[in-house]
Amino acid sequence: MLMPSIFGENLFDDFFNDFPFYYDDKAMKDTEKKLYGKRASHVMKTDIKEMDNGYQLVVDLPGFTKDEIKASLENGYLTISAEKGLDKDEQEKESGHYIRRERYAGACSRSFYVGDGVKQEDIKAKLTATERTGMASYEYPADQQYGTVIIGGGISATPIEQAAIVITAPNKCEGYAEGGNFCGLRTPYKVYFVAEFDADALESGTWKRDELKPNTTFAEGEYSGVYFTFDVSKKKNVQYKIGVSYVSVENARENLKAENTGWDFLQIQNQAESKWNHYLGKIEVEGTNPDRTTQFYTHLYRSFIHPNVCSDVNGEYMGADFRVHKSRSKHYTSFSNWDTYRTQIQLLSILDPEVVSDIVISHQLFAEEAGGAFPRWVMANIETGVMQGDPTPILISNAYAFGARNYDPKPIWKIMRKGAEEPGAMSQEVEARPGLKQYLDKGYYNASIQLEYTSADFAIAQFALHAVGDEFASWRYFHFARSWKNLYNPETGWLQSRNPDGSWKPLTEDFRESTYKNYFWMVPYDIAGLIEIIGGKAVAEKRLDEFFTRLDA
């Protein structure tokens, strides 16, 4: 068996458990008390040696004996540590030296890092992408004869059980994997892929957990995948590309064919850089601090990452009803709307209103396919229901206000009303507005949820007025939005949850991922009314001064 030069995630977990760890006494130096960080002068060296009975990982850590060096595996991380008792004034024990995992498209690379990054292997990996494909270029050292790329199918950041890969040629494979889970909730969407290399493998096979199966072609289930071993004695560069689809393997193949037909890594890289420069260039900043400029564009880059395209080059996408649909516009997913309705959607709408219009249409189609109500938090074609409130009407209303208007607002307005007025309205298996009946009948509910609902109702009112031209309906929703006042408890001076009978709950109850002091200001559409109800500007200023004395107040 050829030793892999690129390790697949979790592949060698059990294998490493059986490794004997040796210490090279010849490398011993005078003991220094500390490792890593403050202990940066120490450099751990590792080597994998082939023995008669398998492979051994040799660890060289100056200043420590064989018995003082320990290794452990937990959650896919191999930790190599060393401990010594310190002087009386330094009683703590410190340990270090961890493997860091770096995930790539369709493959994983695992290297040993110490301090500023001493690597086990000197393999240079370059990565780039198109909208629906990824590409990698691996450059192997001059003295290396073989290089192995391991592709994981049944591995992910969260446990997955459904996955399959088949090797279809000496340089090709294809398959799928399900989505695992998100925030502890199962997300059973499927990602299909096809992958190919620019050279035929010398050897290939499959793997399942710690077992390698040379010359086999099919792997399925948890912790499984395939591997390709190449002769890199003369040609040092191996290129790898992969197309993905949420619909089918065939669509993944078509995506790859349409977006990356050849093996010109630099061309694909330049295309990606050009596209990012186009988007980052939408805002030009100047300043005297280069670090601040870098920070600004880094944040802008992150703002553009999601939502992401989930339709294929032929227009097909997997709908919220788990059927294949075709859209005239690009279809988007990854909607963390509770997180993004306050700031990100406004920025995107200003910078690229056409893309945001497609994002709005994607929400509309999702709702129509999922039962009639808007989702809160979508992964692929799954409504996870994570977080609270009714954020999507706020997001869409803001998109419209900031210039993203290339769609028919009337069917969207209909969906907004359904979620806001029909108790039990569903998006897949998730209720759009829990507690809606009490909110409508009595004008109060759990505090932080109600404040989210009142913001949504204000946004719906604005959309009715400006996008649909229904002034009468806007009055109704402006009325609902004012119900935040029903949460004000004059005895405590704060917004507070109420029981169904109208009595007050404890002040600190029902504030999700926040506190009553944070959520108090969650009336952005009626700040003047909020200031007035607590006694005026002086009281509000005092409360704000107290609030900002601690950042975690």
Side-chain angles (χ1 to χ4, degrees):
M1 183 188 71
L2 300 173
M3 187 65 193
S5 56
I6 296 180
F7 292 85
E9 184 179 1
N10 290 327
L11 174 56
F12 291 100
D13 286 359
D14 295 331
F15 188 56
F16 272 130
N17 272 326
D18 298 328
F19 269 2
F21 284 76
Y22 295 95
Y23 187 80
D24 185 358
D25 288 304
K26 294 179 180 178
M28 287 286 287
K29 296 179 181 179
D30 293 337
T31 299
E32 296 181 32
K33 299 287 175 63
K34 305 218 172 188
L35 295 170
Y36 196 62
K38 296 178 181 178
R39 308 161 281 184
S41 61
H42 285 282
V43 176
M44 177 179 70
K45 296 180 180 179
T46 61
D47 188 22
I48 294 178
K49 293 185 177 180
E50 186 171 0
M51 311 293 285
D52 291 338
N53 60 344
Y55 292 87
Q56 294 173 339
L57 178 63
V58 181
V59 180
D60 173 10
L61 185 58
F64 292 86
T65 67
K66 172 183 173 182
D67 294 334
E68 291 167 339
I69 299 175
K70 301 184 184 301
S72 64
L73 270 162
E74 184 176 358
N75 297 327
Y77 285 87
L78 172 63
T79 301
I80 300 172
S81 61
E83 294 186 351
K84 274 185 176 294
L86 304 180
D87 294 340
K88 290 183 179 180
D89 59 341
E90 296 177 302
Q91 289 295 318
E92 79 276 16
K93 291 183 178 182
E94 302 195 46
S95 62
H97 309 297
Y98 301 91
I99 280 184
R100 188 176 78 189
R101 293 184 293 183
E102 295 182 348
R103 184 181 300 280
Y104 298 131
C108 294
S109 174
R110 183 178 288 178
S111 299
F112 297 86
Y113 283 80
V114 177
D116 59 359
V118 178
K119 295 183 179 180
Q120 175 204 355
E121 307 233 26
D122 189 21
I123 301 169
K124 296 178 181 178
K126 296 190 294 183
L127 307 172
T128 189
T130 68
E131 200 161 58
R132 301 171 183 87
T133 77
M135 191 173 188
S137 174
Y138 301 118
E139 191 76 26
Y140 290 88
D143 60 350
Q144 188 161 330
Q145 185 175 358
Y146 302 108
T148 299
V149 176
I150 294 177
I151 302 174
I155 56 175
S156 181
T158 60
I160 58 176
E161 297 178 0
Q162 293 188 28
I165 305 182
V166 60
I167 296 174
T168 57
N171 68 327
K172 295 179 181 180
C173 65
E174 59 191 45
Y176 81 93
E178 69 169 8
N181 65 70
F182 173 71
C183 289
L185 302 167
R186 187 165 176 262
T187 50
Y189 62 88
K190 288 183 173 64
V191 179
Y192 301 88
F193 73 92
V194 296
E196 58 183 278
F197 296 90
D198 66 346
D200 288 349
L202 186 68
E203 178 184 320
S204 64
T206 65
W207 57 270
K208 179 78 170 180
R209 296 187 180 274
D210 63 342
E211 182 183 0
L212 288 176
K213 301 177 181 180
N215 302 317
T216 59
T217 59
F218 180 74
E220 64 178 338
E222 189 177 22
Y223 301 131
S224 65
V226 299
Y227 68 89
F228 295 83
T229 298
F230 301 92
D231 182 352
V232 295
S233 58
K234 296 179 181 178
K235 182 179 179 291
K236 294 300 176 182
N237 179 264
V238 174
Q239 293 193 104
Y240 167 68
K241 61 184 179 180
I242 180 171
V244 298
S245 166
Y246 292 98
V247 174
S248 67
V249 168
E250 192 55 42
N251 278 16
R253 195 183 334 275
E254 289 301 311
N255 291 341
L256 185 59
K257 182 179 178 181
E259 295 184 3
N260 190 353
T261 57
W263 291 102
D264 191 338
F265 184 91
L266 185 59
Q267 178 188 7
I268 301 300
Q269 176 185 334
N270 288 339
Q271 288 176 3
E273 290 178 356
S274 177
K275 193 164 187 178
W276 274 112
N277 284 335
H278 166 72
Y279 276 101
L280 297 177
K282 287 177 176 288
I283 301 178
E284 295 184 7
V285 297
E286 295 179 357
T288 58
N289 188 332
D291 289 342
R292 291 293 188 185
T293 302
T294 299
Q295 186 179 50
F296 173 85
Y297 283 110
T298 300
H299 293 323
L300 183 59
Y301 160 77
R302 289 170 176 163
S303 297
F304 280 123
I305 292 175
H306 290 115
N308 60 276
V309 172
C310 67
S311 55
D312 296 322
V313 291
N314 62 7
E316 291 183 346
Y317 69 94
M318 186 62 68
D321 55 0
F322 299 93
R323 297 178 180 178
V324 178
H325 296 263
K326 199 163 188 174
S327 175
R328 288 178 294 178
S329 59
K330 287 183 179 178
H331 198 71
Y332 285 82
T333 187
S334 301
F335 304 138
S336 59
N337 293 348
W338 185 84
D339 290 317
T340 62
Y341 78 75
R342 295 170 175 86
T343 56
Q344 187 208 26
I345 194 63
Q346 294 84 344
L347 175 65
L348 297 183
S349 298
I350 293 171
L351 298 180
D352 201 330
E354 292 305 309
V355 165
V356 174
S357 293
D358 288 346
I359 290 171
V360 170
I361 293 171
S362 299
H363 280 89
Q364 174 192 336
L365 295 174
F366 190 100
E368 292 171 348
E369 296 157 3
F374 280 125
R376 284 195 289 276
W377 194 310
V378 174
M379 297 287 289
N381 64 322
I382 306 295
E383 159 64 320
T384 67
V386 169
M387 298 314 300
Q388 64 183 18
D390 189 11
T392 301
I394 313 176
L395 181 138
I396 293 175
S397 185
N398 272 288
Y400 186 89
F402 282 82
R405 301 180 179 183
N406 190 17
Y407 48 83
D408 182 357
K410 291 182 180 179
I412 293 170
W413 159 239
K414 180 181 178 181
I415 297 168
M416 288 181 177
R417 295 190 67 175
K418 182 179 180 68
E421 296 196 40
E422 293 184 20
M426 304 292 285
S427 179
Q428 291 182 343
E429 298 178 359
V430 176
E431 187 176 3
R433 287 199 186 191
L436 178 60
K437 189 176 187 306
Q438 179 180 314
Y439 171 74
L440 295 176
D441 291 347
K442 298 184 177 182
Y444 54 81
Y445 189 55
N446 297 343
S448 63
I449 296 179
Q450 174 156 347
L451 291 172
E452 298 286 347
Y453 289 170
T454 59
S455 285
D457 287 337
F458 183 84
I460 293 172
Q462 294 284 15
F463 193 81
L465 184 62
H466 299 289
V468 182
D470 193 336
E471 184 178 2
F472 179 78
S474 73
W475 297 344
R476 175 175 173 81
Y477 285 95
F478 283 135
H479 168 72
F480 291 150
R482 287 190 290 271
S483 69
W484 69 266
K485 295 180 180 180
N486 297 334
L487 299 175
Y488 181 71
N489 184 349
E491 294 184 5
T492 62
W494 295 94
L495 302 182
Q496 198 165 336
S497 287
R498 302 176 78 159
N499 294 302
D501 63 3
S503 58
W504 297 105
K505 291 185 178 183
L507 179 58
T508 58
E509 200 163 315
D510 297 329
F511 292 95
R512 187 168 184 176
E513 292 191 5
S514 189
T515 67
Y516 69 92
K517 292 183 178 180
N518 268 310
Y519 252 109
F520 176 80
W521 303 100
M522 177 61 191
V523 193
Y525 52 87
D526 193 11
I527 291 295
L530 187 69
I531 292 172
E532 179 183 2
I533 205 170
I534 62 173
K537 292 183 178 180
V539 177
E541 288 177 5
K542 182 175 183 296
R543 181 166 290 187
L544 284 169
D545 287 341
E546 293 172 352
F547 179 73
F548 284 110
T549 56
R550 282 185 55 180
L551 294 180
D552 63 343

